[in-house]
Amino acid sequence: MTAAHPVPAAPVPREWTEVRRRVEHVDTDASGVVHFSRYASWLETAVLENLDRLGAGLGALARANLELAVVELRMHYHAPVRFLDRVRVTARVERVGCARVQVSGEISREDPDDATRCATGSLLLGAVDLRTGAPSLLPENVRTTLKECSVRAQR
């Protein structure tokens, strides 16, 4: 009998997936419409969940004594989302620099009869040293993963 050879793990696709959610009461204002601040939070969640899935998330950065800080946020609102609506949040890597990554995203209704685009936005995230709060370089492996995502998003 021969020794078993370890099977290499399947490569993780470098594509980002959608994040889906149902609007909760806490997301809304007194009129039942999603508060403007929640859209940015949903976009950030989509970015962080995808980074984690690719092994380039906050845990990987923390092991390098780094975290991501929002440098710039832009949101454009197109249509309201309401309590109990289901939404789809998509995000993609636009640019990767030595210390920053620019991502963009879209929030739309998940309803197949009404897939209205409700908001679009972008986040510019910068690597920051956990101890000092000073700007820092992204680790090479994180930068490479993000660049691969950017190239796939442009296809």
mmCIF file of all heavy atoms in Angstrom, residues 39-87:
data_model
loop_
_atom_site.group_PDB
_atom_site.id
_atom_site.type_symbol
_atom_site.label_atom_id
_atom_site.label_comp_id
_atom_site.label_asym_id
_atom_site.label_seq_id
_atom_site.Cartn_x
_atom_site.Cartn_y
_atom_site.Cartn_z
ATOM 1 N N TYR A 39 -26.886 52.344 3.918
ATOM 2 C CA TYR A 39 -26.370 51.915 2.622
ATOM 3 C C TYR A 39 -24.851 51.782 2.668
ATOM 4 O O TYR A 39 -24.277 50.823 2.152
ATOM 5 C CB TYR A 39 -26.776 52.903 1.520
ATOM 6 C CG TYR A 39 -28.272 52.996 1.299
ATOM 7 C CD1 TYR A 39 -29.055 53.891 2.020
ATOM 8 C CD2 TYR A 39 -28.896 52.195 0.342
ATOM 9 C CE1 TYR A 39 -30.417 53.984 1.807
ATOM 10 C CE2 TYR A 39 -30.263 52.286 0.115
ATOM 11 C CZ TYR A 39 -31.017 53.188 0.856
ATOM 12 O OH TYR A 39 -32.366 53.273 0.644
ATOM 13 N N ALA A 40 -24.195 52.752 3.276
ATOM 14 C CA ALA A 40 -22.737 52.701 3.403
ATOM 15 C C ALA A 40 -22.307 51.516 4.263
ATOM 16 O O ALA A 40 -21.318 50.843 3.952
ATOM 17 C CB ALA A 40 -22.213 54.008 3.995
ATOM 18 N N SER A 41 -23.059 51.246 5.302
ATOM 19 C CA SER A 41 -22.764 50.109 6.169
ATOM 20 C C SER A 41 -22.901 48.797 5.400
ATOM 21 O O SER A 41 -22.069 47.892 5.537
ATOM 22 C CB SER A 41 -23.707 50.131 7.373
ATOM 23 O OG SER A 41 -23.501 49.012 8.184
ATOM 24 N N TRP A 42 -23.930 48.679 4.586
ATOM 25 C CA TRP A 42 -24.121 47.462 3.783
ATOM 26 C C TRP A 42 -22.985 47.292 2.783
ATOM 27 O O TRP A 42 -22.512 46.184 2.564
ATOM 28 C CB TRP A 42 -25.456 47.496 3.056
ATOM 29 C CG TRP A 42 -26.651 47.427 3.950
ATOM 30 C CD1 TRP A 42 -26.702 47.016 5.252
ATOM 31 C CD2 TRP A 42 -27.978 47.784 3.596
ATOM 32 N NE1 TRP A 42 -27.980 47.105 5.732
ATOM 33 C CE2 TRP A 42 -28.787 47.567 4.741
ATOM 34 C CE3 TRP A 42 -28.573 48.282 2.450
ATOM 35 C CZ2 TRP A 42 -30.156 47.818 4.745
ATOM 36 C CZ3 TRP A 42 -29.937 48.521 2.448
ATOM 37 C CH2 TRP A 42 -30.717 48.293 3.579
ATOM 38 N N LEU A 43 -22.542 48.389 2.174
ATOM 39 C CA LEU A 43 -21.427 48.306 1.231
ATOM 40 C C LEU A 43 -20.157 47.855 1.948
ATOM 41 O O LEU A 43 -19.440 46.971 1.473
ATOM 42 C CB LEU A 43 -21.212 49.659 0.544
ATOM 43 C CG LEU A 43 -20.043 49.743 -0.433
ATOM 44 C CD1 LEU A 43 -20.143 48.690 -1.527
ATOM 45 C CD2 LEU A 43 -19.967 51.149 -1.021
ATOM 46 N N GLU A 44 -19.895 48.425 3.106
ATOM 47 C CA GLU A 44 -18.716 48.029 3.875
ATOM 48 C C GLU A 44 -18.798 46.551 4.263
ATOM 49 O O GLU A 44 -17.801 45.821 4.181
ATOM 50 C CB GLU A 44 -18.592 48.893 5.125
ATOM 51 C CG GLU A 44 -17.380 48.535 5.964
ATOM 52 C CD GLU A 44 -17.307 49.328 7.261
ATOM 53 O OE1 GLU A 44 -18.365 49.621 7.853
ATOM 54 O OE2 GLU A 44 -16.185 49.639 7.672
ATOM 55 N N THR A 45 -19.969 46.086 4.662
ATOM 56 C CA THR A 45 -20.146 44.679 5.018
ATOM 57 C C THR A 45 -19.842 43.780 3.827
ATOM 58 O O THR A 45 -19.158 42.759 3.971
ATOM 59 C CB THR A 45 -21.574 44.428 5.530
ATOM 60 O OG1 THR A 45 -21.768 45.180 6.731
ATOM 61 C CG2 THR A 45 -21.827 42.958 5.801
ATOM 62 N N ALA A 46 -20.322 44.140 2.646
ATOM 63 C CA ALA A 46 -20.047 43.336 1.453
ATOM 64 C C ALA A 46 -18.549 43.268 1.175
ATOM 65 O O ALA A 46 -18.017 42.204 0.841
ATOM 66 C CB ALA A 46 -20.793 43.916 0.253
ATOM 67 N N VAL A 47 -17.871 44.385 1.323
ATOM 68 C CA VAL A 47 -16.419 44.414 1.105
ATOM 69 C C VAL A 47 -15.713 43.517 2.125
ATOM 70 O O VAL A 47 -14.891 42.672 1.759
ATOM 71 C CB VAL A 47 -15.888 45.861 1.186
ATOM 72 C CG1 VAL A 47 -14.368 45.890 1.244
ATOM 73 C CG2 VAL A 47 -16.410 46.690 0.011
ATOM 74 N N LEU A 48 -16.025 43.678 3.403
ATOM 75 C CA LEU A 48 -15.344 42.910 4.446
ATOM 76 C C LEU A 48 -15.635 41.417 4.352
ATOM 77 O O LEU A 48 -14.740 40.590 4.546
ATOM 78 C CB LEU A 48 -15.709 43.453 5.829
ATOM 79 C CG LEU A 48 -15.219 44.867 6.113
ATOM 80 C CD1 LEU A 48 -15.700 45.330 7.486
ATOM 81 C CD2 LEU A 48 -13.712 44.976 5.994
ATOM 82 N N GLU A 49 -16.877 41.043 4.036
ATOM 83 C CA GLU A 49 -17.202 39.618 3.896
ATOM 84 C C GLU A 49 -16.425 38.993 2.737
ATOM 85 O O GLU A 49 -15.938 37.875 2.843
ATOM 86 C CB GLU A 49 -18.701 39.419 3.709
ATOM 87 C CG GLU A 49 -19.480 39.597 4.989
ATOM 88 C CD GLU A 49 -20.954 39.286 4.852
ATOM 89 O OE1 GLU A 49 -21.377 38.709 3.810
ATOM 90 O OE2 GLU A 49 -21.703 39.610 5.788
ATOM 91 N N ASN A 50 -16.300 39.715 1.635
ATOM 92 C CA ASN A 50 -15.556 39.189 0.502
ATOM 93 C C ASN A 50 -14.064 39.104 0.802
ATOM 94 O O ASN A 50 -13.413 38.128 0.440
ATOM 95 C CB ASN A 50 -15.832 40.023 -0.753
ATOM 96 C CG ASN A 50 -17.100 39.573 -1.441
ATOM 97 O OD1 ASN A 50 -17.112 38.529 -2.077
ATOM 98 N ND2 ASN A 50 -18.151 40.342 -1.291
ATOM 99 N N LEU A 51 -13.520 40.105 1.462
ATOM 100 C CA LEU A 51 -12.107 40.044 1.840
ATOM 101 C C LEU A 51 -11.844 38.860 2.763
ATOM 102 O O LEU A 51 -10.855 38.139 2.589
ATOM 103 C CB LEU A 51 -11.668 41.348 2.510
ATOM 104 C CG LEU A 51 -11.566 42.576 1.613
ATOM 105 C CD1 LEU A 51 -11.222 43.806 2.449
ATOM 106 C CD2 LEU A 51 -10.545 42.368 0.514
ATOM 107 N N ASP A 52 -12.724 38.641 3.734
ATOM 108 C CA ASP A 52 -12.567 37.496 4.636
ATOM 109 C C ASP A 52 -12.594 36.183 3.853
ATOM 110 O O ASP A 52 -11.771 35.297 4.091
ATOM 111 C CB ASP A 52 -13.675 37.477 5.694
ATOM 112 C CG ASP A 52 -13.429 38.442 6.826
ATOM 113 O OD1 ASP A 52 -12.275 38.902 6.992
ATOM 114 O OD2 ASP A 52 -14.390 38.750 7.554
ATOM 115 N N ARG A 53 -13.533 36.056 2.931
ATOM 116 C CA ARG A 53 -13.672 34.825 2.150
ATOM 117 C C ARG A 53 -12.413 34.538 1.338
ATOM 118 O O ARG A 53 -12.050 33.382 1.117
ATOM 119 C CB ARG A 53 -14.890 34.948 1.230
ATOM 120 C CG ARG A 53 -15.259 33.680 0.500
ATOM 121 C CD ARG A 53 -16.494 33.870 -0.356
ATOM 122 N NE ARG A 53 -16.370 34.951 -1.313
ATOM 123 C CZ ARG A 53 -15.672 34.896 -2.439
ATOM 124 N NH1 ARG A 53 -15.014 33.810 -2.752
ATOM 125 N NH2 ARG A 53 -15.627 35.932 -3.259
ATOM 126 N N LEU A 54 -11.719 35.592 0.932
ATOM 127 C CA LEU A 54 -10.512 35.430 0.122
ATOM 128 C C LEU A 54 -9.234 35.345 0.955
ATOM 129 O O LEU A 54 -8.139 35.286 0.409
ATOM 130 C CB LEU A 54 -10.393 36.591 -0.866
ATOM 131 C CG LEU A 54 -11.511 36.660 -1.907
ATOM 132 C CD1 LEU A 54 -11.413 37.949 -2.697
ATOM 133 C CD2 LEU A 54 -11.449 35.453 -2.833
ATOM 134 N N GLY A 55 -9.366 35.374 2.277
ATOM 135 C CA GLY A 55 -8.187 35.287 3.136
ATOM 136 C C GLY A 55 -7.426 36.591 3.249
ATOM 137 O O GLY A 55 -6.276 36.605 3.688
ATOM 138 N N ALA A 56 -8.056 37.694 2.853
ATOM 139 C CA ALA A 56 -7.392 38.998 2.897
ATOM 140 C C ALA A 56 -8.167 39.967 3.783
ATOM 141 O O ALA A 56 -8.059 41.176 3.633
ATOM 142 C CB ALA A 56 -7.272 39.567 1.477
ATOM 143 N N GLY A 57 -8.937 39.431 4.700
ATOM 144 C CA GLY A 57 -9.802 40.257 5.533
ATOM 145 C C GLY A 57 -9.122 40.825 6.760
ATOM 146 O O GLY A 57 -7.895 40.851 6.875
ATOM 147 N N LEU A 58 -9.954 41.267 7.673
ATOM 148 C CA LEU A 58 -9.449 41.927 8.874
ATOM 149 C C LEU A 58 -8.575 41.011 9.716
ATOM 150 O O LEU A 58 -7.606 41.464 10.325
ATOM 151 C CB LEU A 58 -10.605 42.481 9.694
ATOM 152 C CG LEU A 58 -11.438 43.566 9.001
ATOM 153 C CD1 LEU A 58 -12.555 44.043 9.918
ATOM 154 C CD2 LEU A 58 -10.563 44.722 8.554
ATOM 155 N N GLY A 59 -8.887 39.713 9.744
ATOM 156 C CA GLY A 59 -8.056 38.765 10.489
ATOM 157 C C GLY A 59 -6.654 38.677 9.914
ATOM 158 O O GLY A 59 -5.660 38.703 10.648
ATOM 159 N N ALA A 60 -6.559 38.578 8.590
ATOM 160 C CA ALA A 60 -5.246 38.516 7.934
ATOM 161 C C ALA A 60 -4.477 39.809 8.163
ATOM 162 O O ALA A 60 -3.266 39.785 8.410
ATOM 163 C CB ALA A 60 -5.422 38.263 6.435
ATOM 164 N N LEU A 61 -5.172 40.924 8.099
ATOM 165 C CA LEU A 61 -4.505 42.203 8.337
ATOM 166 C C LEU A 61 -4.062 42.335 9.796
ATOM 167 O O LEU A 61 -2.973 42.833 10.074
ATOM 168 C CB LEU A 61 -5.426 43.358 7.944
ATOM 169 C CG LEU A 61 -5.661 43.491 6.441
ATOM 170 C CD1 LEU A 61 -6.804 44.441 6.167
ATOM 171 C CD2 LEU A 61 -4.399 43.940 5.733
ATOM 172 N N ALA A 62 -4.897 41.877 10.725
ATOM 173 C CA ALA A 62 -4.549 41.964 12.147
ATOM 174 C C ALA A 62 -3.286 41.155 12.454
ATOM 175 O O ALA A 62 -2.473 41.563 13.281
ATOM 176 C CB ALA A 62 -5.710 41.494 13.014
ATOM 177 N N ARG A 63 -3.125 40.021 11.772
ATOM 178 C CA ARG A 63 -1.914 39.217 11.976
ATOM 179 C C ARG A 63 -0.674 39.978 11.519
ATOM 180 O O ARG A 63 0.434 39.701 11.973
ATOM 181 C CB ARG A 63 -2.036 37.869 11.259
ATOM 182 C CG ARG A 63 -3.000 36.919 11.956
ATOM 183 C CD ARG A 63 -2.978 35.524 11.359
ATOM 184 N NE ARG A 63 -3.574 35.442 10.038
ATOM 185 C CZ ARG A 63 -4.889 35.414 9.783
ATOM 186 N NH1 ARG A 63 -5.750 35.463 10.787
ATOM 187 N NH2 ARG A 63 -5.329 35.322 8.550
ATOM 188 N N ALA A 64 -0.862 40.954 10.636
ATOM 189 C CA ALA A 64 0.242 41.813 10.189
ATOM 190 C C ALA A 64 0.232 43.139 10.954
ATOM 191 O O ALA A 64 0.898 44.089 10.561
ATOM 192 C CB ALA A 64 0.124 42.073 8.688
ATOM 193 N N ASN A 65 -0.530 43.176 12.061
ATOM 194 C CA ASN A 65 -0.670 44.385 12.892
ATOM 195 C C ASN A 65 -1.227 45.584 12.122
ATOM 196 O O ASN A 65 -0.814 46.713 12.333
ATOM 197 C CB ASN A 65 0.664 44.755 13.557
ATOM 198 C CG ASN A 65 1.068 43.709 14.570
ATOM 199 O OD1 ASN A 65 0.259 43.326 15.410
ATOM 200 N ND2 ASN A 65 2.294 43.240 14.470
ATOM 201 N N LEU A 66 -2.178 45.289 11.231
ATOM 202 C CA LEU A 66 -2.803 46.328 10.425
ATOM 203 C C LEU A 66 -4.322 46.241 10.526
ATOM 204 O O LEU A 66 -4.879 45.220 10.921
ATOM 205 C CB LEU A 66 -2.412 46.170 8.953
ATOM 206 C CG LEU A 66 -0.942 46.277 8.604
ATOM 207 C CD1 LEU A 66 -0.718 45.903 7.144
ATOM 208 C CD2 LEU A 66 -0.426 47.678 8.888
ATOM 209 N N GLU A 67 -4.977 47.318 10.140
ATOM 210 C CA GLU A 67 -6.419 47.335 9.961
ATOM 211 C C GLU A 67 -6.720 48.247 8.776
ATOM 212 O O GLU A 67 -5.836 48.943 8.280
ATOM 213 C CB GLU A 67 -7.136 47.816 11.217
ATOM 214 C CG GLU A 67 -6.828 49.239 11.620
ATOM 215 C CD GLU A 67 -7.533 49.638 12.907
ATOM 216 O OE1 GLU A 67 -8.481 48.961 13.305
ATOM 217 O OE2 GLU A 67 -7.113 50.640 13.503
ATOM 218 N N LEU A 68 -7.963 48.229 8.324
ATOM 219 C CA LEU A 68 -8.373 49.118 7.241
ATOM 220 C C LEU A 68 -9.183 50.271 7.818
ATOM 221 O O LEU A 68 -10.054 50.064 8.658
ATOM 222 C CB LEU A 68 -9.229 48.367 6.213
ATOM 223 C CG LEU A 68 -8.496 47.345 5.362
ATOM 224 C CD1 LEU A 68 -9.481 46.607 4.455
ATOM 225 C CD2 LEU A 68 -7.417 48.016 4.521
ATOM 226 N N ALA A 69 -8.897 51.456 7.341
ATOM 227 C CA ALA A 69 -9.643 52.638 7.763
ATOM 228 C C ALA A 69 -10.283 53.255 6.524
ATOM 229 O O ALA A 69 -9.685 53.266 5.448
ATOM 230 C CB ALA A 69 -8.708 53.648 8.429
ATOM 231 N N VAL A 70 -11.487 53.760 6.691
ATOM 232 C CA VAL A 70 -12.155 54.438 5.587
ATOM 233 C C VAL A 70 -11.523 55.814 5.424
ATOM 234 O O VAL A 70 -11.508 56.620 6.352
ATOM 235 C CB VAL A 70 -13.673 54.558 5.832
ATOM 236 C CG1 VAL A 70 -14.343 55.366 4.726
ATOM 237 C CG2 VAL A 70 -14.301 53.179 5.953
ATOM 238 N N VAL A 71 -10.989 56.063 4.245
ATOM 239 C CA VAL A 71 -10.377 57.344 3.918
ATOM 240 C C VAL A 71 -11.406 58.246 3.248
ATOM 241 O O VAL A 71 -11.453 59.443 3.489
ATOM 242 C CB VAL A 71 -9.152 57.129 2.992
ATOM 243 C CG1 VAL A 71 -8.566 58.456 2.541
ATOM 244 C CG2 VAL A 71 -8.104 56.271 3.691
ATOM 245 N N GLU A 72 -12.239 57.627 2.420
ATOM 246 C CA GLU A 72 -13.257 58.399 1.699
ATOM 247 C C GLU A 72 -14.464 57.510 1.433
ATOM 248 O O GLU A 72 -14.314 56.322 1.132
ATOM 249 C CB GLU A 72 -12.679 58.887 0.369
ATOM 250 C CG GLU A 72 -13.640 59.713 -0.456
ATOM 251 C CD GLU A 72 -13.009 60.170 -1.758
ATOM 252 O OE1 GLU A 72 -12.228 61.146 -1.718
ATOM 253 O OE2 GLU A 72 -13.284 59.540 -2.790
ATOM 254 N N LEU A 73 -15.645 58.097 1.537
ATOM 255 C CA LEU A 73 -16.899 57.407 1.263
ATOM 256 C C LEU A 73 -17.731 58.292 0.353
ATOM 257 O O LEU A 73 -17.877 59.493 0.615
ATOM 258 C CB LEU A 73 -17.659 57.140 2.570
ATOM 259 C CG LEU A 73 -19.134 56.772 2.437
ATOM 260 C CD1 LEU A 73 -19.289 55.400 1.804
ATOM 261 C CD2 LEU A 73 -19.810 56.829 3.787
ATOM 262 N N ARG A 74 -18.269 57.701 -0.707
ATOM 263 C CA ARG A 74 -19.197 58.412 -1.594
ATOM 264 C C ARG A 74 -20.408 57.530 -1.813
ATOM 265 O O ARG A 74 -20.264 56.344 -2.113
ATOM 266 C CB ARG A 74 -18.556 58.713 -2.944
ATOM 267 C CG ARG A 74 -17.437 59.717 -2.865
ATOM 268 C CD ARG A 74 -16.804 59.883 -4.234
ATOM 269 N NE ARG A 74 -15.668 60.768 -4.116
ATOM 270 C CZ ARG A 74 -15.570 61.930 -4.727
ATOM 271 N NH1 ARG A 74 -16.526 62.339 -5.529
ATOM 272 N NH2 ARG A 74 -14.512 62.687 -4.562
ATOM 273 N N MET A 75 -21.579 58.098 -1.677
ATOM 274 C CA MET A 75 -22.823 57.371 -1.937
ATOM 275 C C MET A 75 -23.727 58.233 -2.807
ATOM 276 O O MET A 75 -23.796 59.452 -2.622
ATOM 277 C CB MET A 75 -23.558 57.034 -0.631
ATOM 278 C CG MET A 75 -22.882 56.027 0.266
ATOM 279 S SD MET A 75 -22.634 54.368 -0.419
ATOM 280 C CE MET A 75 -24.284 53.859 -0.815
ATOM 281 N N HIS A 76 -24.395 57.584 -3.742
ATOM 282 C CA HIS A 76 -25.399 58.227 -4.580
ATOM 283 C C HIS A 76 -26.686 57.431 -4.395
ATOM 284 O O HIS A 76 -26.684 56.201 -4.540
ATOM 285 C CB HIS A 76 -24.982 58.223 -6.049
ATOM 286 C CG HIS A 76 -23.704 58.951 -6.291
ATOM 287 N ND1 HIS A 76 -23.643 60.308 -6.481
ATOM 288 C CD2 HIS A 76 -22.431 58.506 -6.341
ATOM 289 C CE1 HIS A 76 -22.390 60.671 -6.651
ATOM 290 N NE2 HIS A 76 -21.627 59.598 -6.557
ATOM 291 N N TYR A 77 -27.756 58.119 -4.089
ATOM 292 C CA TYR A 77 -29.036 57.477 -3.793
ATOM 293 C C TYR A 77 -29.961 57.630 -4.992
ATOM 294 O O TYR A 77 -30.165 58.734 -5.489
ATOM 295 C CB TYR A 77 -29.638 58.085 -2.528
ATOM 296 C CG TYR A 77 -28.678 57.972 -1.361
ATOM 297 C CD1 TYR A 77 -27.843 59.027 -1.017
ATOM 298 C CD2 TYR A 77 -28.576 56.786 -0.654
ATOM 299 C CE1 TYR A 77 -26.933 58.904 0.027
ATOM 300 C CE2 TYR A 77 -27.673 56.652 0.392
ATOM 301 C CZ TYR A 77 -26.858 57.720 0.723
ATOM 302 O OH TYR A 77 -25.960 57.588 1.748
ATOM 303 N N HIS A 78 -30.514 56.498 -5.439
ATOM 304 C CA HIS A 78 -31.336 56.492 -6.649
ATOM 305 C C HIS A 78 -32.810 56.208 -6.367
ATOM 306 O O HIS A 78 -33.669 56.757 -7.037
ATOM 307 C CB HIS A 78 -30.795 55.453 -7.635
ATOM 308 C CG HIS A 78 -29.342 55.615 -7.916
ATOM 309 N ND1 HIS A 78 -28.844 56.609 -8.728
ATOM 310 C CD2 HIS A 78 -28.265 54.927 -7.465
ATOM 311 C CE1 HIS A 78 -27.525 56.506 -8.790
ATOM 312 N NE2 HIS A 78 -27.149 55.507 -8.026
ATOM 313 N N ALA A 79 -33.096 55.323 -5.415
ATOM 314 C CA ALA A 79 -34.474 54.958 -5.087
ATOM 315 C C ALA A 79 -34.506 54.450 -3.646
ATOM 316 O O ALA A 79 -33.538 53.846 -3.181
ATOM 317 C CB ALA A 79 -34.984 53.876 -6.038
ATOM 318 N N PRO A 80 -35.596 54.684 -2.942
ATOM 319 C CA PRO A 80 -35.657 54.250 -1.544
ATOM 320 C C PRO A 80 -35.826 52.736 -1.398
ATOM 321 O O PRO A 80 -36.376 52.077 -2.270
ATOM 322 C CB PRO A 80 -36.892 54.979 -1.007
ATOM 323 C CG PRO A 80 -37.749 55.196 -2.204
ATOM 324 C CD PRO A 80 -36.805 55.389 -3.359
ATOM 325 N N VAL A 81 -35.308 52.234 -0.304
ATOM 326 C CA VAL A 81 -35.531 50.852 0.115
ATOM 327 C C VAL A 81 -36.341 50.941 1.405
ATOM 328 O O VAL A 81 -36.124 51.833 2.226
ATOM 329 C CB VAL A 81 -34.192 50.107 0.360
ATOM 330 C CG1 VAL A 81 -34.430 48.699 0.834
ATOM 331 C CG2 VAL A 81 -33.339 50.114 -0.897
ATOM 332 N N ARG A 82 -37.261 49.996 1.575
ATOM 333 C CA ARG A 82 -38.191 50.071 2.700
ATOM 334 C C ARG A 82 -38.108 48.835 3.592
ATOM 335 O O ARG A 82 -37.559 47.808 3.213
ATOM 336 C CB ARG A 82 -39.610 50.252 2.189
ATOM 337 C CG ARG A 82 -39.767 51.519 1.375
ATOM 338 C CD ARG A 82 -41.202 51.735 0.934
ATOM 339 N NE ARG A 82 -41.293 52.872 0.036
ATOM 340 C CZ ARG A 82 -41.240 54.141 0.392
ATOM 341 N NH1 ARG A 82 -41.103 54.457 1.646
ATOM 342 N NH2 ARG A 82 -41.339 55.100 -0.502
ATOM 343 N N PHE A 83 -38.679 48.968 4.761
ATOM 344 C CA PHE A 83 -38.753 47.886 5.736
ATOM 345 C C PHE A 83 -39.275 46.608 5.075
ATOM 346 O O PHE A 83 -40.249 46.632 4.336
ATOM 347 C CB PHE A 83 -39.670 48.322 6.894
ATOM 348 C CG PHE A 83 -39.850 47.294 7.958
ATOM 349 C CD1 PHE A 83 -38.772 46.715 8.598
ATOM 350 C CD2 PHE A 83 -41.124 46.902 8.331
ATOM 351 C CE1 PHE A 83 -38.948 45.773 9.602
ATOM 352 C CE2 PHE A 83 -41.319 45.958 9.337
ATOM 353 C CZ PHE A 83 -40.225 45.396 9.968
ATOM 354 N N LEU A 84 -38.570 45.502 5.310
ATOM 355 C CA LEU A 84 -38.846 44.152 4.827
ATOM 356 C C LEU A 84 -38.482 43.914 3.360
ATOM 357 O O LEU A 84 -38.612 42.794 2.880
ATOM 358 C CB LEU A 84 -40.307 43.738 5.075
ATOM 359 C CG LEU A 84 -40.725 43.665 6.546
ATOM 360 C CD1 LEU A 84 -42.184 43.222 6.649
ATOM 361 C CD2 LEU A 84 -39.826 42.729 7.332
ATOM 362 N N ASP A 85 -38.009 44.937 2.633
ATOM 363 C CA ASP A 85 -37.490 44.687 1.289
ATOM 364 C C ASP A 85 -36.281 43.765 1.400
ATOM 365 O O ASP A 85 -35.592 43.737 2.423
ATOM 366 C CB ASP A 85 -37.022 45.984 0.617
ATOM 367 C CG ASP A 85 -38.159 46.833 0.070
ATOM 368 O OD1 ASP A 85 -39.319 46.365 0.069
ATOM 369 O OD2 ASP A 85 -37.875 47.977 -0.349
ATOM 370 N N ARG A 86 -36.022 43.047 0.345
ATOM 371 C CA ARG A 86 -34.804 42.247 0.250
ATOM 372 C C ARG A 86 -33.880 42.956 -0.723
ATOM 373 O O ARG A 86 -34.323 43.387 -1.787
ATOM 374 C CB ARG A 86 -35.108 40.831 -0.212
ATOM 375 C CG ARG A 86 -35.913 40.066 0.817
ATOM 376 C CD ARG A 86 -35.979 38.584 0.485
ATOM 377 N NE ARG A 86 -36.702 37.862 1.498
ATOM 378 C CZ ARG A 86 -36.191 37.432 2.642
ATOM 379 N NH1 ARG A 86 -34.932 37.659 2.920
ATOM 380 N NH2 ARG A 86 -36.925 36.774 3.511
ATOM 381 N N VAL A 87 -32.607 43.063 -0.318
ATOM 382 C CA VAL A 87 -31.638 43.771 -1.163
ATOM 383 C C VAL A 87 -30.447 42.889 -1.484
ATOM 384 O O VAL A 87 -30.133 41.947 -0.761
ATOM 385 C CB VAL A 87 -31.157 45.095 -0.515
ATOM 386 C CG1 VAL A 87 -32.292 46.090 -0.401
ATOM 387 C CG2 VAL A 87 -30.496 44.857 0.818
#
